[in-house]
């Protein structure tokens, strides 16, 4: 499993990351797309939950496009465990934590 910040916040950085996967003969990447920090895509439904660096960058779309072009499967991982006290969910929907 890989966190998005390791891939960067630009098309070029994601392309470089995926190139490294291809060179290592990786055929599947499991990417964290939602953590206690927030979501890593420009969500229209929950914009407050978006990690700031990803508000204008559709990271999953670029990752999927680049990975599929190299024959690499992408699986999304959503952190669905207890949220931290400063997370979007804890701040806006504390009732979801019960």
């Amino acid at each position: 499993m890989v966190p998005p910040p390791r891939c960067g916040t630009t098309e070029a950085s994601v392309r470089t990351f995926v190139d490294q996967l291809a060179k290592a003969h990786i055929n599947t990447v499991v990417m964290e797309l939602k953590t206690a920090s927030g979501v890593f895509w420009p969500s229209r439904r929950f914009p407050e939950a978006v990690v700031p660096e990803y508000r204008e960058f559709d990271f999953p779309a670029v990752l999927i496009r680049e990975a599929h072009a190299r024959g690499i499967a992408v699986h999304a991982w959503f952190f669905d465990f207890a949220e931290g006290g400063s997370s979007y969910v804890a701040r806006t929907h504390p009732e979801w934590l019960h």
Side-chain angles (χ1 to χ4, degrees), residues 1 4 16-17 24 33-34 39 41 45 47 52 58 64 66-67 70 73-74 76-77 80 82-83 85-86 89-90 92:
M1 181 171 33
T16 298
F17 173 76
L33 293 178
K34 189 267 177 206
V39 299
W41 69 88
R45 182 156 183 186
D58 194 345
I64 291 166
E66 296 297 326
R70 292 161 184 79
V74 177
W77 176 264
D80 59 353
E83 298 277 344
S86 63
V89 169
T92 60

Side-chain angles (χ1 to χ4, degrees), residues 47-68:
E48 308 85 13
V50 178
V51 174
E53 296 82 6
Y54 295 86
R55 286 190 181 131
E56 302 296 324
F57 179 56
D58 194 345
F59 170 69
V62 174
L63 175 66
I64 291 166
R65 182 189 71 221
E66 296 297 326
H68 286 184

Side-chain angles (χ1 to χ4, degrees), residues 6 15-26 70 72:
R6 297 233 6 234
R15 194 174 302 115
T16 298
F17 173 76
V18 175
D19 283 341
Q20 291 173 342
L21 295 177
K23 286 178 187 173
H25 304 285
I26 302 294
R70 292 161 184 79
I72 299 171

